[in-house]
Amino acid sequence: MESSEAIRPEKMGPLVMKETWNTPGSVVSWELAENVYIVRGECAGMVFIFLSDDMFRMKLFHGQVPDLTTSAAVMNENCVPHLFPVEETDGQLIFTTSDIRLIIEKSSFLLRVENTAGKTIMQQNLASWNPRGASHAEYDMQPKSHFYGLGEKSSFLDKRGERYTNWNTDVFAPHLPEIEALYESIPLIIHMHGDLTYGLFLDNTGRSDFDMRSHGIAFTIGCSTGSYDIYFINGPEMKDVVKRYTTLTGRIALPPKWAIGYHQSRYSYMNQQEVLQLARTFREKNIPCDVIYLDIHYMDEYRVFTFDPVNFPDPQRMISELGELGVRIVPIVDPGVKKDPKFEVYKEGVLEKHFCRRLEGDIFFGEVWPGISAFPDFSDSRTAEWWGDLHKFYTDLGIQGIWNDMNEPAVFNESKTMDLDVMHFNNGRAVTHEEYHNLYGMMMSKATYEGLAGHMGGERPFVLTRAGYAGIQRYAAVWTGDNRSFWEHMAMAMPMVLNMGLSGLAFAGPDIGGFAHHTSAQLLVRWTQMGVFFPYCRNHSSIGTLRQEPWSFGEEVEGILREFIGLRYRWMPHLYNLFHEAEICGLPVIRPLVLEYPRDPHVTNLCDQFLLGDNVLIAPVYRPDTDHRSVYLPEGHWIDYWDGEIHAGGCHILAAAPLHIMPMYVQAGTFTAEGPLKQYALEDKAETVIFHLFGAEVGSGFSAGYSLYEDDGHSFGYRRGQYSELKVQAEGTEGALVLKWAYTVQDYRPRRELLQFALCYPNFSIAGVEGLAEISLEQLKAGRTGWAYNGKKGAIIVQINDAAEGGELLILAHE
Ligand code: GLC
């Protein structure tokens, strides 16, 4: 006899059911409840919270009471709601701020944002959801729409015509243009059309998708679980969007200077001797280096918070010997804790219920490097603190930086991650892994950053992470995971890191030289030339591949790499300044040209060259056996950094690029700041700054300025005001150039007595400097004040005392 089992639904074949999507219907009422505008439709409602004149949150809700919690991405202290007048007509509800009008069509719930001139900035046509919990909305796209942001994605800069998924994924398979999801998820899109730009940030930590490909004149943003919770961020310029987005999700914390130096890594340096020898080789060869990474082999059978007793028997001694050489180590810490009842961390984690569990209480186990492992539930502050505190193991040894990897979390199984029904306790608001997934890595890095900071006595920690969500910039630098030693991957690193910068991740970079596959001499040279101008600069390669330390390919290559790594150290004052700017206003260290020249149609998808800050153009060579490349120079005049040739912008030029040259240009009439060549960033050397002024002119109308930020480079003292700001200004007058400098803040005194101004390739012939004697370059090097012709750059260097009260100089031109 058969039981009811005979008619189990799955035996009946696949069920064909039409997907139904519901919409809110027309607006039936609205109310203001404690700074929140609640607009109810026939079937669902939307809340609107204005955070400023240029930013509002809109969230779809079902039922009576909207849930207004945000994810950890949003810095609630910056989200003070504002009230703006509401106008109601028969057909519309209109919210007016001083910059925008949000118009809701009552009959359709269509949303439109206009600027004060009545031009449509954004239009949301339809927000809908299905019974399985997915939601999405459709937005207008224009013939001239361009899309940026979305964090770490493959393919080119402009995301028009692309579709992406946000689901943090460990992708060892080559990062191809068709790969929709990588390790990081930043659900922010920046839409530029004509002279209008806005951003939409979907605060959803589950799987989401952004489709700029499939809907013709519209693009869609959707999520498969959780809530449809969107922030509209106004421009009108892309820079405004980036600055505002980073007030919402935070900005990078100024890194310690050593973290901005050159870093050397390998999977893995196998033992203590190898690490020490590596550090000594850098010093013997005079190749600057700040950090050596310890990949998984430093651990005792991959148990986090341990050292292998055979290969790393005396980490304390190793660290102090490295310290004498000015080298630090950054060890890797993955989330997987080895299942081993004799392993203290595991035992404690189980006994104190720190590991991710299913609702019924059983711990989730997955396989990673240590074998079967459990994964801490960083969503719970109690666990985050526990994990953070465990880092005392490292800080007691003097370690100040940690590398978080595999924190998507990656698991060696079919789904590549934790089962979706695992729970995250989330301080009492438990959610499934399906809803929480993209936040896991960020919460690990947050716990790590806070744990380190708590044990470092006021020193700045450094955390590097592979996975992250919006806001990760507050806690960690991000590297772009397992790329390959392919020229294509070198080229792809540019748009990827540039878009990361537009998405708040100002401190990012790829594995220089490529991680998997075998690098080559040329690829390593070209990649390093580019990489030393990326915010994060680390050479890393995989087990089983050709070695790629800077000396691996003979003397010629070594010499070029020494020069370029040295260049990063000489440019440190300028770089550090840009990091400071990223901390205070959110703008990225390296920028796509479209950020600075949004009206230039040639640059909307230009991503094989980029800007360092706003005035230095870097044009890497990213193909083998190539000694020329075309470079696009935007408006203005641009001076070749290497030979001083001046080019009018607004056109393409063909740049010569023999192997030892990477084309670089500085905008005429601007400054950069260089410092002494050091072997590591905090090497104790006189901090003589050289302000380089490119292409100065005499005559009224010429003006250039620069503001140099300085602090001790390693402590949080700067947050208590211990920093200095030195402003320099150059003004053209009749037959002369006036140079002025003054400290506007001087609560930190750098160790130096002298300042230098280098007038590089001026547009006039220099007769002398009023009140200063002409001296030789040798005398200048020996520390005398005066001015000297610098044959190499066809210009002069002025050396003066770094007086606290500042000063002024007159550079005289020949008639
Ligand atoms: C992952 C990381 C890589 C690391 C390796 C071993 O593949 O992305 O950087 O070297 O794991 O830890």
Side-chain angles (χ1 to χ4, degrees), residues 170 172 183 266-268 295-296 332 334 369 403 405-406 466 479 481-482 511 515 538 540-542:
D170 170 16
F172 183 69
Y183 315 86
R266 170 90 179 167
Y267 168 31
S268 298
D295 207 324
I296 52 175
I332 197 167
D334 294 348
W369 309 121
W403 168 20
D405 186 25
M406 306 288 280
R466 192 169 73 173
W479 102 102
D482 296 345
D511 283 343
F515 175 70
R538 180 181 74 156
H540 180 49
S541 56
S542 179

Side-chain angles (χ1 to χ4, degrees), residues 431-723:
V431 285
T432 62
H433 187 68
E434 185 181 12
E435 293 162 287
Y436 189 83
H437 177 78
N438 288 339
L439 203 53
Y440 188 84
M442 165 157 139
M443 296 312 271
M444 177 184 186
S445 290
K446 177 176 190 277
T448 306
Y449 181 86
E450 289 169 355
L452 288 174
H455 292 291
M456 278 172 52
E459 294 292 288
R460 294 174 222 169
F462 167 68
V463 178
L464 175 71
T465 183
R466 192 169 73 173
Y469 178 68
I472 181 65
Q473 65 270 16
R474 308 196 298 257
Y475 312 111
V478 176
W479 102 102
T480 60
D482 296 345
N483 63 6
R484 301 202 166 202
S485 299
F486 296 164
W487 288 93
E488 292 82 352
H489 277 192
M490 177 194 160
M492 191 176 66
M494 286 185 262
M496 191 181 276
V497 174
L498 292 171
N499 268 320
M500 289 166 85
L502 298 178
S503 314
L505 313 183
F507 194 11
D511 283 343
I512 292 172
F515 175 70
H517 195 57
H518 306 285
T519 202
S520 67
Q522 273 195 37
L523 181 59
L524 184 62
V525 167
R526 294 309 198 183
W527 205 325
T528 308
Q529 289 173 335
M530 171 178 92
V532 299
F533 289 102
F534 271 37
Y536 176 62
C537 178
R538 180 181 74 156
N539 171 320
H540 180 49
S541 56
S542 179
I543 202 161
T545 63
L546 282 185
R547 302 297 294 223
Q548 59 185 45
E549 289 78 15
W551 47 85
S552 306
F553 291 93
E555 276 179 23
E556 188 199 352
V557 168
E558 184 184 316
I560 300 174
L561 299 190
R562 177 183 299 106
E563 275 307 305
F564 274 85
I565 295 170
L567 203 58
R568 183 174 179 93
Y569 282 79
R570 284 198 275 123
W571 279 59
M572 190 57 83
H574 191 68
L575 261 178
Y576 195 58
N577 228 26
L578 289 167
F579 273 89
H580 164 67
E581 196 180 337
E583 183 183 45
I584 59 167
C585 74
L587 290 179
V589 174
I590 62 169
R591 306 173 187 176
L593 273 74
V594 69
L595 187 67
E596 297 291 338
Y597 300 91
R599 307 285 176 276
D600 183 338
H602 296 102
V603 303
T604 51
N605 203 5
L606 187 64
C607 52
D608 65 351
Q609 53 180 79
F610 57 89
L611 293 165
L612 175 70
D614 63 2
N615 67 332
V616 180
L617 194 150
I618 310 281
V621 173
Y622 53 93
R623 295 179 67 83
D625 304 319
T626 301
D627 56 12
H628 283 81
R629 63 155 288 174
S630 108
V631 177
Y632 179 71
L633 298 174
E635 65 186 30
H637 284 84
W638 294 83
I639 295 178
D640 187 317
Y641 180 73
W642 304 108
D643 67 13
E645 194 179 340
I646 181 152
H647 300 271
C651 62
H652 289 84
I653 60 166
L654 188 65
L659 194 61
H660 65 285
I661 294 284
M662 174 183 64
M664 284 171 64
Y665 304 84
V666 183
Q667 192 179 21
T670 67
F671 279 99
T672 63
E674 294 189 18
L677 173 62
K678 295 184 175 182
Q679 293 305 303
Y680 54 100
L682 292 171
E683 189 180 355
D684 189 19
K685 268 194 167 178
E687 302 280 350
T688 306
V689 189
I690 315 169
F691 293 102
H692 288 247
L693 172 56
F694 287 81
E697 289 177 26
V698 289
S700 62
F702 179 83
S703 165
Y706 191 86
S707 172
L708 180 73
Y709 168 88
E710 290 171 292
D711 60 24
D712 67 11
H714 59 89
S715 80
F716 281 111
Y718 76 100
R719 296 209 174 151
R720 298 186 300 274
Q722 291 159 15
Y723 64 91

Side-chain angles (χ1 to χ4, degrees), residues 227-529:
S227 52
Y228 202 75
D229 191 358
I230 288 253
Y231 292 78
F232 168 86
I233 306 160
N234 191 31
E237 300 299 344
M238 204 187 299
K239 275 190 177 173
D240 302 318
V241 176
V242 176
K243 287 180 185 172
R244 293 186 174 125
Y245 168 73
T246 52
T247 58
L248 188 69
T249 62
R251 293 170 177 161
I252 64 163
L254 184 62
K257 253 189 193 166
W258 59 265
I260 306 175
Y262 172 82
H263 297 190
Q264 184 63 50
S265 184
R266 170 90 179 167
Y267 168 31
S268 298
Y269 295 121
M270 293 294 188
N271 56 53
Q272 204 162 306
Q273 293 75 8
E274 193 182 0
V275 172
L276 283 166
Q277 192 46 46
L278 186 74
R280 286 186 208 114
T281 310
F282 272 101
R283 294 298 174 250
E284 279 155 21
K285 290 182 173 292
N286 274 317
I287 301 175
C289 176
D290 264 283
V291 180
I292 294 175
Y293 283 68
L294 299 185
D295 207 324
I296 52 175
H297 289 95
Y298 81 87
M299 292 179 270
D300 180 12
E301 294 178 328
Y302 315 120
R303 289 177 186 85
V304 282
F305 310 104
T306 66
F307 276 90
D308 182 291
V310 177
N311 294 317
F312 290 86
D314 195 349
Q316 182 73 80
R317 217 191 77 215
M318 173 183 75
I319 290 164
S320 72
E321 281 188 48
L322 289 171
E324 282 161 28
L325 295 167
V327 173
R328 289 157 200 269
I329 56 165
V330 169
I332 197 167
V333 176
D334 294 348
V337 175
K338 188 177 177 65
K339 181 175 185 220
D340 168 4
K342 289 200 210 130
F343 175 31
E344 258 331 294
V345 177
Y346 176 74
K347 205 161 78 184
E348 204 173 286
V350 174
L351 292 175
E352 295 178 11
K353 294 198 167 29
H354 287 306
F355 294 124
C356 295
R357 282 166 289 155
R358 291 205 163 70
L359 197 56
E360 297 75 14
D362 50 325
I363 295 177
F364 167 79
F365 290 103
E367 195 167 348
V368 268
W369 309 121
I372 302 297
S373 305
F375 297 81
D377 183 4
F378 303 108
S379 74
D380 186 16
S381 330
R382 195 182 56 93
T383 298
E385 271 164 38
W386 169 69
W387 187 260
D389 266 349
L390 287 171
H391 287 76
K392 193 165 179 304
F393 172 77
Y394 296 110
T395 53
D396 280 351
L397 290 165
I399 292 169
Q400 299 188 321
I402 292 292
W403 168 20
N404 285 162
D405 186 25
M406 306 288 280
N407 50 346
E408 293 71 27
V411 180
F412 302 153
N413 62 15
E414 213 173 303
S415 75
K416 292 187 181 341
T417 194
M418 200 175 270
D419 293 351
L420 301 185
D421 61 350
V422 172
M423 299 305 291
H424 295 281
F425 183 69
N426 203 22
N427 298 325
R429 294 175 61 94
V431 285
T432 62
H433 187 68
E434 185 181 12
E435 293 162 287
Y436 189 83
H437 177 78
N438 288 339
L439 203 53
Y440 188 84
M442 165 157 139
M443 296 312 271
M444 177 184 186
S445 290
K446 177 176 190 277
T448 306
Y449 181 86
E450 289 169 355
L452 288 174
H455 292 291
M456 278 172 52
E459 294 292 288
R460 294 174 222 169
F462 167 68
V463 178
L464 175 71
T465 183
R466 192 169 73 173
Y469 178 68
I472 181 65
Q473 65 270 16
R474 308 196 298 257
Y475 312 111
V478 176
W479 102 102
T480 60
D482 296 345
N483 63 6
R484 301 202 166 202
S485 299
F486 296 164
W487 288 93
E488 292 82 352
H489 277 192
M490 177 194 160
M492 191 176 66
M494 286 185 262
M496 191 181 276
V497 174
L498 292 171
N499 268 320
M500 289 166 85
L502 298 178
S503 314
L505 313 183
F507 194 11
D511 283 343
I512 292 172
F515 175 70
H517 195 57
H518 306 285
T519 202
S520 67
Q522 273 195 37
L523 181 59
L524 184 62
V525 167
R526 294 309 198 183
W527 205 325
T528 308
Q529 289 173 335

Side-chain angles (χ1 to χ4, degrees), residues 17-221:
M17 216 189 337
K18 201 169 170 295
E19 189 90 320
T20 48
W21 285 85
N22 308 305
T23 59
S26 23
V27 173
V28 290
S29 67
W30 72 274
E31 68 189 277
L32 174 64
E34 284 190 43
N35 304 332
V36 179
Y37 296 99
I38 304 176
V39 182
R40 293 180 203 279
E42 291 162 317
C43 311
M46 285 195 95
V47 291
F48 296 88
I49 303 175
F50 285 84
L51 303 172
S52 70
D53 284 308
D54 292 281
M55 195 150 65
F56 64 84
R57 175 182 178 194
M58 50 184 181
K59 181 169 179 175
L60 191 65
F61 74 95
H62 310 280
Q64 283 309 300
V65 191
D67 170 9
L68 295 177
T69 45
T70 67
S71 84
V74 173
M75 313 241 312
N76 282 319
E77 61 272 30
N78 295 343
C79 284
V80 185
H82 294 246
L83 294 179
F84 291 103
V86 188
E87 210 183 303
E88 184 168 11
T89 67
D90 283 351
Q92 298 180 326
L93 274 183
I94 305 168
F95 299 79
T96 307
T97 80
S98 64
D99 293 335
I100 54 170
R101 274 153 56 89
L102 164 64
I103 300 159
I104 304 174
E105 297 293 344
K106 285 183 174 172
S107 60
S108 58
F109 230 118
L110 180 147
L111 308 180
R112 191 166 67 252
V113 178
E114 293 179 351
N115 65 10
T116 47
K119 274 171 99 177
T120 300
I121 304 170
M122 179 215 79
Q123 181 161 311
Q124 178 185 290
N125 294 322
L126 202 71
S128 54
W129 70 95
N130 74 13
R132 296 187 199 286
S135 327
H136 88 268
E138 192 185 281
Y139 301 87
D140 267 8
M141 183 157 142
Q142 313 299 328
K144 288 211 170 129
S145 286
H146 302 283
F147 296 94
Y148 307 96
L150 282 169
E152 181 190 66
K153 298 291 180 203
S154 57
S155 202
F156 293 99
L157 184 72
D158 183 351
K159 299 306 186 194
R160 190 184 175 119
E162 304 286 355
R163 181 191 184 284
Y164 292 103
T165 300
N166 293 308
W167 183 255
N168 291 356
T169 312
D170 170 16
V171 185
F172 183 69
H175 301 170
L176 299 170
E178 66 183 1
I179 286 184
E180 293 192 353
L182 283 167
Y183 315 86
E184 299 265 327
S185 292
I186 316 293
L188 164 77
I189 190 92
I190 302 176
H191 180 191
M192 179 176 95
H193 54 97
D195 53 5
L196 297 173
T197 311
Y198 66 91
L200 292 175
F201 165 55
L202 172 69
D203 188 19
N204 182 301
T205 60
R207 185 185 291 270
S208 62
D209 59 83
F210 285 65
D211 189 348
M212 286 69 62
R213 176 193 296 157
S214 323
H215 306 282
I217 51 161
F219 68 99
T220 57
I221 299 178

